[in-house]
Amino acid sequence: MREAVEKKVLSENDRLAAALRRRFHDENILCVNLISSPGSGKTMLLEKTLAAFPKDTSVVVLTGDIQTDNDAKRLARYGFPVRQIVTGGTCHLDARMIERHLNEIGFQGPGILFIENVGNLVCPSSYDLGEAAKIVLLSVTEGEDKPLKYPGIFHRASLMLLTKTDLLPHVDFDPALAHENARKIHPEIEFIAISARSGENFSQWLKWLDVLREKVCPQITAAN
Amino acid sequence: MREAVEKKVLSENDRLAAALRRRFHDENILCVNLISSPGSGKTMLLEKTLAAFPKDTSVVVLTGDIQTDNDAKRLARYGFPVRQIVTGGTCHLDARMIERHLNEIGFQGPGILFIENVGNLVCPSSYDLGEAAKIVLLSVTEGEDKPLKYPGIFHRASLMLLTKTDLLPHVDFDPALAHENARKIHPEIEFIAISARSGENFSQWLKWLDVLREKVCPQITAAN
């Protein structure tokens, strides 16, 4: 009974996500969906990313949380439109939420849409939001075995960002092993190890994003 | 439709959890349920806790994960019975899983049952497992605002363990603010800041557990 309902919910979500994907294509919108545990650094990554964009770049952010609009407040300081989606208990964003908030914010392409999902390595991985890429963040404080323990999201993500590398000297964490574990789940997954705090390899992440932009939406003005 | 099914699932779980709670009471079993994000240190906490117990203490551990039996392997080294519950995609443990695995492992009280839930700050909070206490772990790398963003679990937990305090010199994190945010959600929540790695305040956690044991199951031999 419960599984049948879940299946129906997911298939309805897939239908709405397909419509979003068509809309993103037609309007030249590059949409990426950031997924991680709570506290892996999604908001910090977005803060530094927005700070790196020229002010006339067409960018919006939709950020999901169970409660509070803390993240939207942090992100709004960079001058781009940001909207908080408070799910009120739901453990992930779904395509209907994205569609509604995009319509309310009145975003038109060409441009870049960042989606910061609810902090959760499990539930968000099943919900297609029409994005061009899912990006999974894992911080160096979380343990190298997480790709094996949460295979769903590592299987679906195009890119794994290993975050908080400035903490590597203070923790027992082997980046090569984390990468190897992710490749066991998804051999083609791309991998960048960064620190938003120290700036280490941050340009590599911006470059990755730019390559994706060039591929998906060459109409958008380059951001860096 | 979906909400009606979720409500039914939760009410069925509550019924099974009530039966577990009676069983724990009748058999003098102290059950605690550890909940946190992936990588906040649940397994490490349990490793150090088991290492501190005399070998003749009656203790079992049920540890939940989406995939892998890594945690059970880590925990089995301490000589107490450990069983991995692989949920295969489900984002939390439920009372039926606990009942089945307890029966299969053949655990009889008096004794202590540690449940390590699936790494997730959202879903496990709604599922009563018949435990005497929920314990929420938050690591100092995750941000002080997490109690406000994930109020469900902080509302239901008896104790908040702030973990990985050995990393405090290397991160921007204010333990007093994290505690204050947790108290906004749950004014009576207890709070201990520990490092399983350095051992800081670890005796305070063992003491907390012992006070709970004395209150709930005075029949169990003191572990420390």
Side-chain angles (χ1 to χ4, degrees):
Chain A
M1 168 65 165
R2 188 190 188 181
E3 276 162 30
V5 172
E6 280 183 5
K7 213 167 157 178
K8 205 177 151 202
V9 166
L10 281 172
S11 105
E12 171 70 3
N13 185 76
D14 283 347
R15 196 182 60 73
L16 291 168
L20 278 176
R21 188 165 280 113
R22 276 193 303 276
R23 172 172 169 184
F24 295 155
H25 177 265
D26 294 346
E27 294 189 21
N28 296 304
I29 292 173
L30 169 64
C31 172
V32 295
N33 179 4
L34 303 178
I35 297 176
S36 80
S37 300
S40 299
K42 294 182 294 303
T43 312
M44 176 87 146
L45 177 86
L46 281 175
E47 287 187 273
K48 301 282 172 149
T49 305
L50 294 177
F53 281 170
K55 291 300 166 220
D56 59 349
T57 315
S58 173
V59 186
V60 296
V61 183
L62 298 180
T63 178
D65 269 304
I66 303 281
Q67 286 298 341
T68 83
D69 60 353
N70 293 2
D71 287 353
K73 282 184 191 150
R74 281 172 63 185
L75 293 165
R77 293 179 294 190
Y78 299 88
F80 302 103
V82 176
R83 196 170 176 110
Q84 183 78 45
I85 305 180
V86 175
T87 67
T90 302
C91 55
H92 58 85
L93 297 177
D94 64 31
R96 189 179 296 281
M97 298 175 195
I98 301 303
E99 185 199 23
R100 193 178 74 230
H101 286 270
L102 269 188
N103 290 344
E104 287 179 15
I105 210 169
F107 180 56
Q108 302 271 335
I112 302 177
L113 168 61
F114 287 108
I115 298 175
E116 179 184 0
N117 222 305
V118 175
N120 189 321
L121 266 186
V122 187
C123 315
S125 73
S126 306
Y127 286 81
D128 184 3
L129 304 180
E131 70 279 322
K134 285 184 170 66
I135 297 168
V136 61
L137 284 74
L138 180 73
S139 82
V140 301
T141 65
E142 293 177 52
E144 304 93 343
D145 61 346
K146 293 300 173 288
L148 304 177
K149 293 168 84 173
Y150 303 87
I153 179 56
F154 288 86
H155 180 68
R156 293 184 182 92
S158 306
L159 172 66
M160 169 177 176
L161 283 178
L162 184 69
T163 62
K164 307 193 188 184
T165 55
D166 57 290
L167 292 176
L168 276 173
H170 313 295
V171 294
D172 304 316
F173 187 95
D174 177 356
L177 179 56
H179 187 187
E180 187 185 320
N181 285 335
R183 285 167 44 94
K184 279 184 191 160
I185 301 301
H186 180 177
E188 290 81 27
I189 197 166
E190 295 183 81
F191 177 87
I192 307 176
I194 61 168
S195 166
R197 196 158 70 157
S198 75
E200 186 191 9
N201 287 341
F202 206 79
S203 60
Q204 215 180 315
W205 148 245
L206 292 175
K207 175 82 186 152
W208 185 91
L209 204 56
D210 208 44
V211 168
L212 184 66
R213 178 198 61 71
E214 184 62 34
K215 193 170 117 194
V216 178
C217 299
Q219 300 81 354
I220 307 171
T221 311
N224 55 323
Chain B
M1 166 68 165
R2 187 189 189 184
E3 275 163 29
V5 172
E6 280 183 4
K7 212 166 161 182
K8 205 178 152 201
V9 167
L10 281 172
S11 107
E12 172 69 2
N13 186 76
D14 283 346
R15 196 183 61 73
L16 291 168
L20 278 176
R21 189 165 278 114
R22 277 192 302 276
R23 173 173 168 183
F24 294 155
H25 177 265
D26 294 347
E27 293 188 22
N28 295 304
I29 291 172
L30 169 63
C31 172
V32 295
N33 180 3
L34 303 178
I35 296 175
S36 80
S37 301
S40 300
K42 295 183 292 304
T43 313
M44 176 86 147
L45 178 86
L46 281 175
E47 287 187 272
K48 301 284 172 148
T49 305
L50 294 177
F53 281 171
K55 291 298 165 220
D56 60 349
T57 316
S58 173
V59 186
V60 298
V61 182
L62 298 179
T63 179
D65 269 303
I66 304 281
Q67 286 298 341
T68 82
D69 59 352
N70 293 3
D71 288 353
K73 282 184 190 149
R74 281 172 62 184
L75 292 165
R77 294 180 293 190
Y78 299 88
F80 302 104
V82 175
R83 196 172 175 109
Q84 183 78 46
I85 304 179
V86 175
T87 67
T90 302
C91 55
H92 58 84
L93 297 178
D94 65 31
R96 190 180 296 281
M97 298 175 194
I98 302 302
E99 184 198 23
R100 192 178 76 229
H101 286 270
L102 269 188
N103 291 345
E104 286 179 15
I105 209 169
F107 181 54
Q108 301 273 333
I112 302 176
L113 168 61
F114 287 107
I115 298 175
E116 180 184 359
N117 223 306
V118 175
N120 188 321
L121 265 187
V122 187
C123 315
S125 73
S126 306
Y127 287 81
D128 185 4
L129 304 180
E131 70 280 323
K134 284 184 172 67
I135 298 168
V136 62
L137 285 74
L138 180 73
S139 82
V140 302
T141 66
E142 293 177 51
E144 304 94 343
D145 61 345
K146 293 301 174 285
L148 305 177
K149 291 168 86 172
Y150 303 87
I153 180 56
F154 287 86
H155 180 69
R156 293 183 182 93
S158 306
L159 171 67
M160 169 179 177
L161 283 178
L162 183 71
T163 61
K164 308 193 187 183
T165 55
D166 57 289
L167 292 176
L168 276 174
H170 313 295
V171 294
D172 304 314
F173 187 94
D174 177 355
L177 178 57
H179 187 188
E180 187 186 320
N181 285 337
R183 284 166 45 94
K184 279 183 190 159
I185 302 299
H186 180 178
E188 291 80 28
I189 197 166
E190 294 183 81
F191 178 88
I192 307 176
I194 62 168
S195 165
R197 195 158 74 157
S198 76
E200 187 191 10
N201 287 342
F202 207 80
S203 61
Q204 215 179 316
W205 147 246
L206 293 175
K207 175 80 186 159
W208 185 91
L209 203 56
D210 208 44
V211 167
L212 184 67
R213 178 199 60 70
E214 183 64 32
K215 193 170 117 192
V216 177
C217 300
Q219 298 82 353
I220 307 172
T221 311
N224 56 324

